Amino acid sequence: MPRWVAVRAYPEMPPEVVCLPETLADYSSLWAAIDAQRTAGHYETWKALMRIWTLADQFFLLRYVWTAGRNARNEYRGGELLFHHEAHLRFAREIQFGPMDDTVVIGARGFGKSTQLDVDDTRQKLLDPNHASVLFSLTKSLAQKHLEILRQEFDTNDLLKEIWDDRFWRDEDERREAGKIPWGTGVLRLKRTSSRPEESFEAHSFEYQLPTGMHYDLRRYDDIEADRSVNSDITQETIEERWVSSQNLSSTKRQRRVTGTYYAPSAMMVRLETEYGLKKLVFAGEDVEDKVDPGEAGPLGGRPVNGFTREELWRRLKDAGGAEIDAETGEWKRTGNQKANLDYARQTACNPIAGEAEVLDKNWLVYYDGEGSGYARDGNVVICADCSPGLGDPTFIWVWLLTRDKEFWWVDGEMRRVAPAARKELIHAVTQRWINYGANVVQLRLENYGQATYVQDQKEFWATMPKFPAPPVIKCSDPRRQGFGDAYEGKIYRIYNRWQGPLSSGKVRFPVRMVRIDEIGRPVDLMHHVKEFEIGFFPRPRTDNGLDAGGLIWEDPKLVGPIPWPEVKRWNQEKGEGKERSYATAGLL
């Protein structure tokens, strides 16, 4: 269906109505006709036409004026122009004419989603010189990096400055003569006809307090959620808090556009759709839901889409270390590089769970009835603790009941920010609690890395109470880093490798609720915390203290010995004794 657009080349001229081209061939013909005016020496006609088409058509501005549109090449497709493709034309049409406000845009890495949104943001300022937009990123470095890309474009794109000399400064001398400093820290200012306080472009980060009293026409969010490789300490709670706060920073237009990557199935980018009602627009490189013949499929078995070819997808994964050519068959195959395959799933397939690794599913959870203390005498109890050195991070104590059916029942726990002295007392109190229940407390497992003295501290504490039947203290400090990357990534894979098997096989039992009092006297449901914020957000959990503590039960047996299962009593037919309790009838939901 043809699209007609009315625009003015100059404010004093009547509007021109143009019909946008429908194919790439049509665009080539249009460009040749416009450029012929300049070649023939009709400069003012050429300039007016260029102004009309950059106002009327997002794709024309991208492809024929923007630096990346004119010069960026696709290294995986013989160096062809990156943006001269039907998929980019469709995306440009969606941005210009689709219901783009309040939209989450997810696109494969290298697709150019941020560039397209930059072009559209700039086109709005060509239409209205006083238009103001703000961009939010997770960190200051990400925000400044994005603004620097725009600054470079406006400084070096002579064609853009020539066509729109009433919007862009020719050079630094012109800016200085006008008394303007448009390239300030975190801001860019184009030529305007008003003195509104909001700059043309501003960039802010979620790691600092947001601006106040400003009202922008467009709020953009780019990379407000990132992998831990960003080296940011910002939590999911902070991201959500900043998101909510930023909703007040808008004019009556209230436009919002978000772009980024899905890092986990329950993290903020997904929750923008599920909890905050934003629409989703995805331009993936591989559609993992559309399974096709292996000879046509991408690395995850799905159909290549949005202009990406099968060969290109495999080569991208190969360059990251996640694929190779089989020497015997000559066919592509994936390697065991979990990071490469996980990044490919997130960044190219746009599906955080398609990488197959490191996903813990809340649907695997199986529950039991009542309080854990009611089962105290039905097996062996192992107390596990992820200790904190101080008040900055909570100590998490996890109490396991090991049954004769070789199941793991989570029956008790504590999560408190406590000083070292109080930590020793808290561990003691939990141990004493279960001894009083009549349980067979067989071990205390403490995570103890590096120079930490948690194990020695607890032993010394119990030495002051000689009559206390203290269980053996087991030091857990598995030095292996399973998986990839930095210590955090290794820890995530260690947690995943410990929990995934028992959890997915239904061998772990959870209480419906486990309400405990925290360090300031508030009731906290530990079951809800672990289910929603640790398992639900995995592999990017809000916290991992609970999973880390509970996972100590699966510490390498070569280092700490085997799991201390209770002895299985055998039936004595003559005396009728020793029949063990059946956990199949122990109140499972």
Side-chain angles (χ1 to χ4, degrees):
M1 179 178 177
R3 292 187 182 274
W4 297 85
V5 179
V7 292
R8 298 174 186 269
Y10 296 95
E12 64 276 9
M13 293 179 63
E16 295 283 345
V17 180
V18 297
C19 181
L20 303 191
E22 297 184 18
T23 67
L24 295 177
D26 291 341
Y27 273 98
S28 296
S29 298
L30 171 64
W31 173 252
I34 294 175
D35 196 50
Q37 295 295 319
R38 186 169 193 169
T39 302
H42 305 147
Y43 177 77
E44 293 301 330
T45 301
W46 168 83
K47 184 176 180 180
L49 288 171
M50 290 294 289
R51 289 174 69 100
I52 288 171
W53 282 100
T54 52
L55 287 175
D57 192 345
Q58 150 90 8
F59 185 72
F60 185 91
L61 175 58
L62 166 69
R63 171 64 185 86
Y64 295 103
V65 180
W66 208 260
T67 301
R70 290 184 285 127
N71 300 324
R73 304 279 174 173
N74 188 324
E75 60 179 310
Y76 296 103
R77 282 187 242 145
E80 69 178 47
L81 286 168
L82 176 63
F83 290 100
H84 195 62
H85 195 281
E86 289 85 354
H88 292 287
L89 174 55
R90 292 197 304 272
F91 187 23
R93 288 287 192 268
E94 189 72 39
I95 293 174
Q96 184 172 350
F97 298 105
M100 278 294 297
D101 295 342
D102 295 345
T103 299
V104 176
V105 181
I106 304 295
R109 177 182 292 170
F111 185 67
K113 55 187 182 295
S114 294
T115 298
Q116 289 252 32
L117 292 172
D118 283 344
V119 172
D120 185 67
D121 194 358
T122 302
R123 191 178 66 86
Q124 294 191 49
K125 291 169 178 58
L126 302 183
L127 289 164
D128 175 9
N130 303 311
H131 183 275
S133 58
V134 60
L135 179 129
F136 299 105
S137 293
L138 181 68
T139 64
K140 181 179 179 181
S141 60
L142 285 171
Q144 288 295 98
K145 179 180 178 181
H146 194 96
L147 205 67
E148 176 63 17
I149 293 173
L150 283 172
R151 188 192 69 78
Q152 287 283 348
E153 181 70 19
F154 301 153
D155 264 350
T156 62
N157 191 329
D158 292 334
L159 179 59
L160 188 65
K161 290 188 287 184
E162 182 180 5
I163 300 168
W164 287 98
D165 52 344
D166 52 345
R167 296 288 189 273
F168 299 97
W169 310 93
R170 288 195 307 269
D171 49 39
E172 186 175 344
D173 290 339
E174 185 184 14
R175 295 197 297 267
R176 188 181 298 110
E177 290 174 6
K180 305 293 184 182
I181 308 177
W183 301 161
T185 302
V187 301
L188 295 176
R189 184 187 307 160
L190 305 185
K191 294 180 179 179
R192 313 175 95 174
T193 59
S194 76
S195 57
R196 66 180 297 184
E198 298 85 4
E199 301 291 350
S200 302
F201 299 89
E202 293 188 26
H204 298 276
S205 70
F206 278 5
E207 64 182 341
Y208 296 107
Q209 291 298 322
L210 302 184
T212 58
M214 296 298 196
H215 302 284
Y216 304 97
D217 302 312
L218 171 64
R219 284 162 296 157
R220 290 181 55 194
Y221 302 82
D222 198 306
D223 289 331
I224 61 170
E225 178 186 321
D227 215 334
R228 287 295 182 100
S229 59
V230 178
N231 296 322
S232 171
D233 294 327
I234 301 176
T235 64
Q236 288 288 340
E237 290 93 335
T238 301
I239 293 174
E240 186 166 10
E241 174 196 333
R242 297 291 193 266
W243 165 263
V244 172
S245 298
S246 70
Q247 302 315 299
N248 297 322
L249 302 172
S250 66
S251 69
T252 55
K253 297 180 181 179
R254 299 189 63 81
Q255 293 179 308
R256 294 181 297 182
R257 295 177 181 177
V258 185
T259 185
T261 299
Y262 293 137
Y263 282 102
S266 299
M268 192 63 189
M269 289 296 292
V270 174
R271 292 172 60 233
L272 289 175
E273 307 157 30
T274 59
E275 296 186 24
Y276 291 93
L278 273 69
K279 302 178 293 293
K280 176 175 64 176
L281 182 64
V282 178
F283 285 86
E286 178 179 348
D287 183 356
V288 297
E289 303 298 327
D290 185 6
K291 300 298 183 182
V292 294
D293 182 84
E296 303 174 3
L300 297 180
R303 182 183 301 279
V305 291
N306 294 316
F308 291 89
T309 66
R310 177 180 185 272
E311 182 70 15
E312 177 181 356
L313 295 177
W314 277 106
R315 288 179 61 195
R316 285 172 178 265
L317 185 56
K318 173 182 178 294
D319 289 347
E324 61 187 8
I325 297 288
D326 188 291
E328 295 183 0
T329 66
E331 298 293 329
W332 283 107
K333 68 176 183 179
R334 291 165 62 186
T335 68
N337 187 326
Q338 291 181 323
K339 182 182 190 310
N341 281 277
L342 179 61
D343 284 349
Y344 175 89
R346 294 169 175 166
Q347 302 279 3
T348 302
C350 301
N351 188 323
I353 64 174
E356 301 177 351
E358 63 153 307
V359 175
L360 300 180
D361 192 339
K362 292 187 293 185
N363 294 322
W364 294 339
L365 273 58
V366 181
Y367 301 94
Y368 63 82
D369 277 326
E371 291 291 329
S373 57
Y375 304 97
R377 303 189 182 192
D378 294 336
N380 287 347
V381 168
V382 176
I383 301 172
C384 302
D386 175 30
C387 299
S388 169
L391 298 176
D393 194 43
T395 289
F396 203 115
I397 301 173
W398 188 294
V399 180
W400 284 115
L401 175 70
L402 307 178
T403 75
R404 296 181 180 89
D405 294 333
K406 293 196 172 181
E407 294 176 344
F408 305 87
W409 288 46
W410 182 26
V411 292
D412 197 5
E414 295 285 353
M415 182 175 67
R416 299 185 194 176
R417 290 178 172 83
V418 291
R423 181 194 69 239
K424 293 180 288 185
E425 294 175 356
L426 182 61
I427 293 173
H428 172 72
V430 173
T431 307
Q432 180 72 69
R433 182 189 306 165
W434 281 84
I435 291 174
N436 292 343
Y437 289 154
N440 185 27
V441 182
V442 296
Q443 284 182 1
L444 169 65
R445 295 192 174 197
L446 299 181
E447 189 172 68
N448 196 126
Y449 285 100
Q451 302 299 314
T453 58
Y454 307 135
V455 170
Q456 186 62 31
D457 291 347
Q458 199 65 39
K459 289 181 177 179
E460 292 176 356
F461 180 84
W462 277 338
T464 63
M465 296 175 288
K467 294 184 179 180
F468 180 73
V473 183
I474 307 298
K475 178 182 179 180
C476 296
S477 57
D478 186 350
R480 297 175 304 168
R481 283 287 179 254
Q482 303 171 20
F484 56 83
D486 59 18
Y488 177 81
E489 297 290 1
K491 183 178 182 181
I492 287 297
Y493 268 89
R494 187 182 68 217
I495 291 175
Y496 172 78
N497 289 335
R498 289 177 173 181
W499 279 92
Q500 189 272 341
L503 203 61
S504 62
S505 63
K507 292 184 177 296
V508 184
R509 303 289 193 249
F510 293 89
V512 177
R513 299 182 70 206
M514 185 182 290
V515 179
R516 298 294 183 266
I517 303 301
D518 69 6
E519 65 277 1
I520 61 174
R522 297 175 303 183
V524 177
D525 186 350
L526 299 187
M527 183 61 228
H528 176 80
H529 172 86
V530 170
K531 176 184 176 181
E532 298 299 332
F533 300 141
E534 298 202 5
I535 294 176
F537 277 79
F538 203 85
R540 289 295 174 266
R542 289 189 177 184
T543 66
D544 56 30
N545 306 91
L547 292 179
D548 212 21
L552 296 179
I553 197 65
W554 297 294
E555 185 86 352
D556 187 352
K558 295 179 181 179
L559 301 176
V560 301
I563 294 174
W565 297 109
E567 180 183 354
V568 177
K569 296 181 180 179
R570 300 195 178 278
W571 176 253
N572 187 323
Q573 290 185 351
E574 294 182 0
K575 296 184 178 181
E577 297 175 348
K579 186 174 182 180
E580 63 188 44
R581 177 176 181 176
S582 171
Y583 281 81
T585 59
L588 296 183
L589 296 181

